[in-house]
């Protein structure tokens, strides 16, 4: 795991090597073990290394035999050994055992189509000095990030936002559209970032930069191809085989590998499989003043005992949490309203005391159908046969009912098209509340509805059933924007590599053949849970999704004056309705209405602004 960066100018401008070094230094935590640079006229590549594979010879940038092609690479290629043998048979000569060198020679052989042969997680920059062009590429699901900024015919790129900003000092202002979308989704959807002028390369895309022009291309798209001819047993056995193989490949390393372990089935299955190949260390986090927190730590400890792992956990107090809030938001680089990011921050800090690599269970819910919201199309089936005119009448009736009244939400959602009722696994603010709160942004004619994020995804997959379309939406938005975003930022803040065996192409390609009825029926992730019974007892396979929950709703009640002080001192407070913010704080403090999610999303934005934009 590493950090990469680069500068590419038009042909008549040479790269400033000191500026390139400053960009790399800005993300030293991603690669504390080594650094490396290439400056060749108008092209510059920078690299920070966290040594994982071939500790002695994995220095980057890395080139082919005649030094005409150079690569910097952040991630892991799990099929690099089989690819290496194919390339050797074709006459390529290798100097190292690093997976990076496989990318170099595979590009020589196949050009940018080489991305389709890679099995792993990656953020890659390829500089072809023969044609003076540069390619940037991001893995299939968006496990590893790439930020970039184009200006005056030049391109800056890096694994982290702070590195790009180091290359353009003084260019820090909030992107208003990104801010508007943030208060819808609790994260900043790709391809935008929260900083104006900086973008994120979307998953499964590559960028081509030549002669001052950049073009973005999609090289893969997740899709489902259900095989209705096979019985459930076929899919159960297939999941067992493919996930076991993925875990085996994800254990490749020349350093210690451990695993995060919550009390849920996803991480428990990963640990159970990993334990078949090697002794494992596991790590969990809990929070004080949380009724269920101790229970979940106890459950994780019991699972660790069952699987015979060397288990470690940590309990975080509200005081520690609040003290670390600015550091966490600075490490995230963009605001994120997902409280579980803080659990990842603290458990990563613990894990890095013992290991360099951890496995984790991200992605299982998106590919196997695990989120409770995926049951909604089943519960709303009764509305499928209702005429459109009657639906409109029911919806008007429901909208007139008092907010929170029993049945109101059910009627509204049942009479609303999927494309408008489901815009991702989380929706923080209702449109009317968001417009009332974000007065300045709502009146800005440049800011458009957040449906601009979800509509293109739905348009891409018009023929699938509603459950599958919901999964595909989350795979394209929520997974890279929230789940994988926080996983990368929180682990790399502590120089820890996180690997996600569920998001292996082999696992996904097989999971995509599972019929919808075997993914979601009386319980979510049905096929996966049946498969996991080969490794885990029913008490674990039947547990609901838990993760590392944070008692932020209760904590916000005691922090309400602190939140108001932060809001009052913020230079962007004029974007918001002070009266509405004050009302929400008062209602939440008094317990008359739960505004925890909205207030947390606001607080994290304000703290992020102070740490990144003002700081």
């Amino acid at each position: 795991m590493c950090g990469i960066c680069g500068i590419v100018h038009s042909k008549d401008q040479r790269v400033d090597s000191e500026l390139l070094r400053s960009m790399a230094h800005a993300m030293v935590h991603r690669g504390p073990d080594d650094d490396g640079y290439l400056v060749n006229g108008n092209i510059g590549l920078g690299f920070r290394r966290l040594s994982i594979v071939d500790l002695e010879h994995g220095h980057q940038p890395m080139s082919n035999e005649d030094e005409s092609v150079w690569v910097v690479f952040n991630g892991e290629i799990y099929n690099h050994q089989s690819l290496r043998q194919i390339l050797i048979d074709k006459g390529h000569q290798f100097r190292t055992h690093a997976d990076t060198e496989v990318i170099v020679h595979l590009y020589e052989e196949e050009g940018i189509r080489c991305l389709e042969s890679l099995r792993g997680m990656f953020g890659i920059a390829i500089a072809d000095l023969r044609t003076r062009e540069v390619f940037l590429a991001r893995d299939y699901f968006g496990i590893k990030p790439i930020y970039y900024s184009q200006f005056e015919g030049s391109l800056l790129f890096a694994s982290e936002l702070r590195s790009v900003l180091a290359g353009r000092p003084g260019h820090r202002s909030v992107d208003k559209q990104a801010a508007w979308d943030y208060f819808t989704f609790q994260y900043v959807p790709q391809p935008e970032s929260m900083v104006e002028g900086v973008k994120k390369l979307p998953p499964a895309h590559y960028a081509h930069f030549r002669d001052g022009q950049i073009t973005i291309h999609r090289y893969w798209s997740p899709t489902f191809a259900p095989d209705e001819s096979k019985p459930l047993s076929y899919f159960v056995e297939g999941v067992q085989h493919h996930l076991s193989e993925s875990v085996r490949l994800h254990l490749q390393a020349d350093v210690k590998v451990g695993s995060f372990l919550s009390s849920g089935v996803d991480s428990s299955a990963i640990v159970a499989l990993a334990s078949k190949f090697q002794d494992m260390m596991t790590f969990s986090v809990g929070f004080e003043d949380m009724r269920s927190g101790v229970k979940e730590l106890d459950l994780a400890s019991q699972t660790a005992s069952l699987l015979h792992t060397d288990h470690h956990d940590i309990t975080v107090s509200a005081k520690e949490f609040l003290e670390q809030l600015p550091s966490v938001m600075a490490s995230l680089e963009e605001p994120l309203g997902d409280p579980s990011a803080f659990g990842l921050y603290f458990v990563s800090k613990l894990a890095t005391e013992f290991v360099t690599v951890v496995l984790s269970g991200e992605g299982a819910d998106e590919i196997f159908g695990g989120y409770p919201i995926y049951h909604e199309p089943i519960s709303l089936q009764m509305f499928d046969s209702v005429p459109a005119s009657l639906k409109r009448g029911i919806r008007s009736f429901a909208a007139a009912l008092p907010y929170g009244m029993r049945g109101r939400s059910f009627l509204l959602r049942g009479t609303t098209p999927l494309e408008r009722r489901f815009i991702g696994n989380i929706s923080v603010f209702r449109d009317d509340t968001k417009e009332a709160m974000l007065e300045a942004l709502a009146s800005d004619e440049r800011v458009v509805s957040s449906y601009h994020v979800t509509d293109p995804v739905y348009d891409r997959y018009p023929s699938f059933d509603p459950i599958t379309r919901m999964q595909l939406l989350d795979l394209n938005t929520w997974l890279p924007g929230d789940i994988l975003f926080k996983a990368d930022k929180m682990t790399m803040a502590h120089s820890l590599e996180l690997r996600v065996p569920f998001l292996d192409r082999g696992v996904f390609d097989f999971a995509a053949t599972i019929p919808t009825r075997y993914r979601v029926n009386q319980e979510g992730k049905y096929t996966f849970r049946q498969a996991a019974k080969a490794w885990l007892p029913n008490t674990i396979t039947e547990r609901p999704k838990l993760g590392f929950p944070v008692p932020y709703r209760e904590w916000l009640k005691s922090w309400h004056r602190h939140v108001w002080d932060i809001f009052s001192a913020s230079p962007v407070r004029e974007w918001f309705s002070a009266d509405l913010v004050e009302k929400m704080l008062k209602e939440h403090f008094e317990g008359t209405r739960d505004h925890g999610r909205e207030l947390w999303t606001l607080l994290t934005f304000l703290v992020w602004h102070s740490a990144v934009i003002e700081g």
Side-chain angles (χ1 to χ4, degrees):
M1 191 65 62
C2 310
I4 66 172
C5 62
I7 304 172
V8 190
H9 295 305
S10 55
K11 292 182 179 180
D12 57 351
Q13 185 178 356
R14 183 176 176 81
V15 167
D16 182 338
S17 59
E18 289 305 311
L19 185 62
L20 183 64
R21 287 179 178 274
S22 70
M23 290 175 65
H25 182 72
M27 52 181 178
V28 65
H29 52 278
R30 292 190 77 95
D33 297 331
D34 185 23
D35 66 346
Y37 305 91
L38 166 75
V39 174
N40 185 287
N42 66 314
I43 297 175
L45 302 179
F47 172 72
R48 294 294 321 188
R49 186 185 187 199
L50 178 63
S51 302
I52 303 292
V53 176
D54 195 355
L55 305 186
E56 184 178 353
H57 301 108
H59 182 80
Q60 297 183 39
M62 193 171 288
S63 72
N64 60 345
E65 296 91 334
D66 65 3
E67 299 188 347
S68 61
V69 174
W70 290 82
V71 168
V72 284
F73 159 59
N74 166 32
E76 303 291 345
I77 305 302
Y78 300 116
N79 63 336
H80 70 97
Q81 293 178 346
S82 59
L83 290 174
R84 176 187 300 268
Q85 189 56 54
I86 293 171
L87 291 163
I88 289 173
D89 292 344
K90 291 184 176 183
H92 292 270
Q93 298 179 10
F94 285 78
R95 299 187 294 267
T96 76
H97 295 287
D99 49 357
T100 309
E101 194 172 6
V102 169
I103 300 171
V104 174
H105 294 292
L106 197 62
Y107 172 79
E108 279 190 290
E109 191 70 32
E110 301 179 2
I112 198 60
R113 291 187 298 105
C114 69
L115 300 173
E116 300 170 18
S117 301
L118 302 179
R119 184 176 182 178
M121 56 181 183
F122 50 83
I124 304 171
I126 302 171
D128 192 330
L129 302 185
R130 299 167 298 187
T131 56
R132 311 305 296 181
E133 61 189 330
V134 171
F135 293 93
L136 309 177
R138 195 174 175 199
D139 63 66
Y140 308 103
F141 299 100
I143 305 168
K144 302 286 49 169
I146 292 183
Y147 291 87
Y148 68 94
S149 179
Q150 186 186 17
F151 61 99
E152 298 174 354
S154 296
L155 176 72
L156 300 178
F157 66 86
S159 299
E160 295 207 344
L161 175 63
R162 76 189 78 224
S163 182
V164 173
L165 296 178
R168 297 193 70 186
H171 289 76
R172 298 194 183 199
S173 58
V174 175
D175 185 296
K176 292 185 177 180
Q177 181 65 56
W180 181 259
D181 293 335
Y182 169 73
F183 283 97
T184 300
F185 299 105
Q186 84 173 12
Y187 60 88
V188 180
Q190 68 213 3
E192 306 304 327
S193 82
M194 190 60 92
V195 177
E196 194 169 30
V198 181
K199 293 184 178 295
K200 297 189 285 267
L201 184 65
H205 284 68
Y206 71 85
H208 178 214
F209 189 78
R210 184 175 184 179
D211 297 333
Q213 300 296 319
I214 189 170
T215 54
I216 309 296
H217 308 266
R218 175 183 284 272
Y219 66 87
W220 180 78
S221 183
T223 190
F224 284 77
D227 185 347
E228 302 290 348
S229 68
K230 301 290 196 303
L232 175 63
S233 59
Y234 168 83
F235 297 107
V236 169
E237 292 170 5
V239 170
Q240 291 169 344
H241 168 74
H242 287 284
L243 187 58
S244 179
E245 175 66 4
S246 176
V247 169
R248 183 186 69 81
L249 290 173
H250 280 70
L251 288 170
Q252 297 179 83
D254 296 327
V255 294
K256 290 183 178 179
V257 180
S259 182
F260 290 153
L261 180 63
S262 71
S263 53
V265 64
D266 302 343
S267 62
S268 297
I270 295 298
V271 173
L273 285 170
S275 297
K276 294 179 181 295
F277 299 106
Q278 65 180 56
D279 293 336
M280 291 295 292
M281 298 181 75
T282 52
F283 308 93
S284 299
V285 62
F287 297 90
E288 287 183 3
D289 308 317
M290 183 172 179
R291 294 174 184 175
S292 62
V294 174
K295 178 184 177 184
E296 283 152 9
L297 276 184
D298 289 345
L299 288 173
S301 180
Q302 291 169 18
T303 302
S305 178
L306 175 72
L307 299 175
H308 307 292
T309 72
D310 180 6
H311 189 62
H312 303 264
D313 61 40
I314 184 174
T315 301
V316 180
S317 69
K319 182 175 181 293
E320 291 174 287
F321 192 99
L322 188 59
E323 289 174 346
Q324 292 297 316
L325 184 56
S327 296
V328 174
M329 298 315 300
S331 295
L332 284 167
E333 299 192 294
E334 296 183 78
L336 182 70
D338 185 347
S340 65
F342 289 77
L344 278 172
Y345 181 85
F346 287 106
V347 76
S348 297
K349 184 177 181 180
L350 170 66
T352 198
E353 297 176 15
F354 302 92
V355 299
T356 308
V357 176
V358 288
L359 307 184
S360 193
E362 281 82 358
D365 290 300
E366 288 81 6
I367 67 173
F368 289 116
Y371 292 120
I373 191 67
Y374 294 158
H375 287 265
E376 188 179 67
I378 298 174
S379 65
L380 297 178
Q381 277 181 334
M382 66 181 67
F383 291 97
D384 291 347
S385 58
V386 175
S389 58
L390 182 54
K391 280 185 180 179
R392 288 193 294 270
I394 295 172
R395 179 167 177 78
S396 297
F397 167 76
L401 295 174
Y403 180 81
M405 183 175 180
R406 185 179 179 86
R408 179 181 187 272
S409 178
F410 177 75
L411 293 174
L412 285 175
R413 294 186 71 79
T415 55
T416 301
L418 175 68
E419 295 84 353
R420 287 299 177 266
R421 73 170 184 260
F422 183 76
I423 59 172
N425 196 264
I426 188 68
S427 179
V428 181
F429 285 92
R430 304 193 318 274
D431 283 347
D432 56 345
T433 306
K434 186 169 65 170
E435 290 175 4
M437 180 175 169
L438 292 163
E439 296 174 323
L441 293 186
S443 61
D444 191 324
E445 62 182 15
R446 296 170 297 177
V447 174
V448 300
S449 166
S450 293
Y451 290 121
H452 80 94
V453 174
T454 58
D455 282 348
V457 181
Y458 280 121
D459 291 345
R460 198 182 312 144
Y461 305 106
S463 60
F464 289 101
D465 64 84
I467 291 174
T468 303
R469 295 181 83 197
M470 293 167 78
Q471 287 181 254
L472 286 164
L473 182 69
D474 280 341
L475 279 163
N476 281 276
T477 56
W478 163 259
L479 180 66
D482 183 300
I483 300 296
L484 297 176
F485 172 85
K486 69 175 185 267
D488 174 79
K489 301 289 188 180
M490 296 294 85
T491 52
M492 290 311 300
H494 301 288
S495 304
L496 182 71
E497 173 172 301
L498 180 137
R499 298 179 177 179
V500 282
F502 283 111
L503 294 178
D504 171 74
R505 274 292 306 278
V507 174
F508 175 80
D509 288 347
F510 182 80
T513 68
I514 301 174
T516 307
R517 68 181 186 278
Y518 292 151
R519 278 180 263 136
V520 180
N521 48 35
Q522 65 265 37
E523 60 181 342
K525 289 184 295 198
Y526 183 72
T527 297
F528 167 66
R529 289 180 186 274
Q530 296 303 306
K533 290 181 178 181
W535 319 305
L536 300 166
N538 288 354
T539 53
I540 298 177
T541 61
E542 294 174 2
R543 282 179 192 160
K545 182 175 178 61
L546 296 170
F548 298 132
V550 179
Y552 71 96
R553 296 178 189 273
E554 288 301 313
W555 288 352
L556 279 169
K557 291 180 180 179
S558 60
W559 296 347
H560 71 288
R561 292 306 313 170
H562 183 65
V563 176
W564 178 255
D565 290 342
I566 291 175
F567 173 76
S568 300
S570 175
V572 290
R573 62 186 177 277
E574 67 271 11
W575 286 9
F576 304 88
S577 166
D579 290 342
L580 183 54
V581 171
E582 187 174 31
K583 179 185 177 185
M584 292 168 64
L585 283 166
K586 183 175 184 294
E587 290 179 343
H588 190 79
F589 172 68
E590 294 176 347
T592 57
R593 191 164 174 182
D594 181 4
H595 294 293
R597 176 63 72 184
E598 296 95 328
L599 291 173
W600 183 254
T601 305
L602 172 64
L603 175 62
T604 49
F605 175 81
L606 296 173
V607 175
W608 166 82
H609 192 278
S610 176
V612 176
I613 300 297
E614 301 167 51

